[in-house]
């Protein structure tokens, strides 16, 4: 199985599944552990934040410590239209039976929905913001003989920018993500072990103590452009050059150049000598230019620029200190 996003939702889902004995789990995440994650991302420690360990790596190590029989494969990558199919369907463990959505952005969620529909993979959706959560099994095989909605059936399209609360604008309650992530793990186990998929998309407000549900057979759109017409808009779109909005972080992600060789991280780190505080590992090179400006370059050429939310400023720093 594959978990995309090992943050507030992916952590409790992965933890519960590893403890239940799911033997092979691919963990895909683009980010580093930060101290702002620790109140809700339960696989990580203060030491992980201090070392700026990639989330996928720290999560895989923790799952192995919890259950040495689990093969947890960390993948440090941002899932985009350029790599989504190869990362999800072409991993070391082969095509997954289940794909778990641990993401926090609508466009990436709709991208992995495209992959799930195209390849017939069950998609376990989860969402959490402020005190409201939702979960459900989408794009599942029709084990009960009923059509089942995909995420595009439910959402329709990407909501207009600024129209929906995000974890940056509204925050997120720590216990909320634990509940949603655990429910996602239960969806996986219900499907894999019992072959009895749930039929509802459940939503709730933890503090208001309210609950609602949508029947996923009834929510299926017979004119859906994705699961009916098989037009994969998000999978076919060009990847963005920069992606602001790492949840809870003042940071911008710069995508790797489409052409060229992967960076030599040791050489890059040496070229940064004297510019600021430099740290290099086989997975990344990290340059702290001043207290609030940090550039982290990954082995695939992707970078995270901390200390700004301006994509143009982040790209300028990338061009200055990395090239391109």
């Amino acid at each position: 199985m594959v978990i995309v996003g090992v943050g507030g939702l992916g952590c409790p889902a992965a933890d519960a599944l590893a403890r239940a004995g799911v033997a092979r789990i691919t963990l895909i995440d683009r980010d580093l552990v930060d101290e702002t994650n620790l109140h809700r991302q339960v696989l990580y420690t203060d030491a992980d934040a201090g070392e700026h360990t990639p989330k996928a790596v720290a999560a895989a190590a923790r799952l192995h410590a919890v259950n040495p029989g689990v093969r947890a494969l960390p993948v440090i990558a941002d899932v985009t239209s350029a790599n989504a199919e190869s990362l999800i369907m072409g991993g070391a463990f082969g095509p997954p039976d289940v794909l778990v959505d641990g993401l926090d952005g609508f466009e990436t969620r709709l991208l992995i929905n495209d992959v799930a529909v195209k390849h017939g993979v069950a998609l376990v959706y989860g969402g959490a913001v402020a005190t409201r959560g939702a979960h459900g099994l989408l794009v599942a095989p029709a084990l009960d003989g009923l059509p089942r909605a995909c995420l595009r059936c439910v959402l329709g399209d990407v909501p207009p920018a600024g129209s929906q609360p995000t974890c940056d604008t509204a925050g997120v309650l720590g216990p909320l993500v634990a509940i949603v992530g655990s429910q996602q793990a239960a969806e996986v186990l219900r499907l894999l072990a019992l072959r009895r998929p749930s039929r509802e998309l459940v939503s709730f407000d933890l503090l208001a103590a309210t609950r609602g549900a949508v029947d996923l057979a009834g929510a299926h759109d017979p004119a859906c452009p994705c699961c009916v017409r098989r037009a994969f808009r998000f999978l076919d779109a060009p990847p963005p050059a920069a992606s602001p909005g790492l949840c809870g972080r003042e940071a911008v992600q710069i995508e790797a150049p489409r052409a060229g060789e992967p960076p030599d991280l040791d050489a890059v780190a040496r070229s940064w000598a004297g510019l600021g505080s430099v740290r290099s590992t086989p997975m990344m090179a990290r340059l702290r230019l001043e207290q609030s400006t940090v550039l982290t370059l990954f082995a695939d050429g992707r970078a995270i620029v901390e200390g700004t939310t301006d994509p143009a400023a982040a790209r300028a720093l990338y061009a200055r200190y990395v090239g391109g």
Side-chain angles (χ1 to χ4, degrees):
M1 65 167 295
V2 173
I3 299 176
V4 183
V6 197
L9 301 180
C11 281
D15 185 56
L17 291 167
R19 292 175 190 273
V22 175
R24 297 186 298 180
I25 304 174
T26 298
L27 305 165
I28 304 174
D29 199 284
R30 63 182 180 174
D31 204 2
L32 310 173
V33 181
D34 184 81
E35 63 180 8
T36 61
N37 305 143
L38 300 181
H39 78 286
R40 68 190 186 282
Q41 299 184 17
V42 296
L43 291 180
Y44 309 130
T45 67
D46 187 64
D48 295 324
E51 290 294 314
H52 308 290
T53 307
K55 288 183 180 180
V57 172
R62 179 64 179 272
L63 296 184
H64 181 74
V66 165
N67 183 350
V70 171
R71 294 178 63 194
L73 175 67
V75 178
I76 308 165
D78 184 34
V79 177
T80 70
S81 57
N83 62 16
E85 287 185 276
S86 60
L87 289 177
I88 293 170
M89 303 305 301
F93 298 147
D97 296 314
V98 185
L99 177 58
V100 176
D101 169 8
L103 296 162
D104 54 25
F106 282 111
E107 290 209 23
T108 313
R109 283 186 162 132
L110 288 164
L111 170 63
I112 68 169
N113 181 77
D114 276 2
V115 176
V117 170
K118 183 175 180 178
H119 295 279
V121 177
L123 173 63
V124 179
Y125 167 78
V129 65
T131 62
R132 299 183 297 279
H135 59 87
L137 180 65
L138 307 172
V139 199
L143 300 179
D144 48 14
L146 297 172
R148 183 178 298 268
C150 77
L151 189 58
R152 192 77 181 274
C153 295
V154 175
L155 291 181
D157 212 334
V158 178
S163 66
Q164 301 293 317
T166 69
C167 58
D168 284 314
T169 62
V172 62
L173 189 66
L176 175 68
V177 293
I179 293 169
V180 175
S182 296
Q183 290 284 3
Q184 288 181 283
E187 296 280 7
V188 173
L189 295 174
R190 189 181 295 115
L191 177 65
L192 295 183
L194 302 178
R195 309 302 289 174
R196 292 205 303 265
S198 64
R199 299 181 180 183
E200 294 181 329
L201 179 66
V202 176
S203 61
F204 62 95
D205 189 309
L206 195 58
L207 292 190
T210 57
R211 180 187 183 277
V214 173
D215 178 79
L216 288 171
H220 178 257
D221 179 2
C224 176
C226 182
C227 65
V228 176
R229 299 178 182 172
R230 300 189 66 80
F232 303 119
R233 168 188 163 189
F234 298 91
L235 191 56
D236 294 337
S243 305
L246 295 173
C247 187
R249 304 269 301 280
E250 186 183 10
V252 173
Q253 177 176 263
I254 304 297
E255 295 297 334
R258 299 297 296 272
E261 294 295 320
D264 181 333
L265 295 179
D266 286 337
V268 170
R270 288 194 298 271
S271 75
W272 288 345
L275 298 176
S277 174
V278 179
R279 177 173 173 242
S280 178
T281 75
M283 298 171 288
M284 64 184 185
R286 186 172 174 87
L287 169 64
R288 181 178 292 275
L289 292 165
E290 50 191 63
Q291 188 61 32
S292 61
T293 304
V294 181
L295 171 63
T296 302
L297 178 68
F298 295 94
D300 61 359
R302 181 175 57 91
I304 292 174
V305 180
E306 301 171 57
T308 184
T309 57
D310 181 355
R315 284 195 295 268
L317 284 169
Y318 185 97
R320 181 176 180 181
Y321 295 108
V322 179

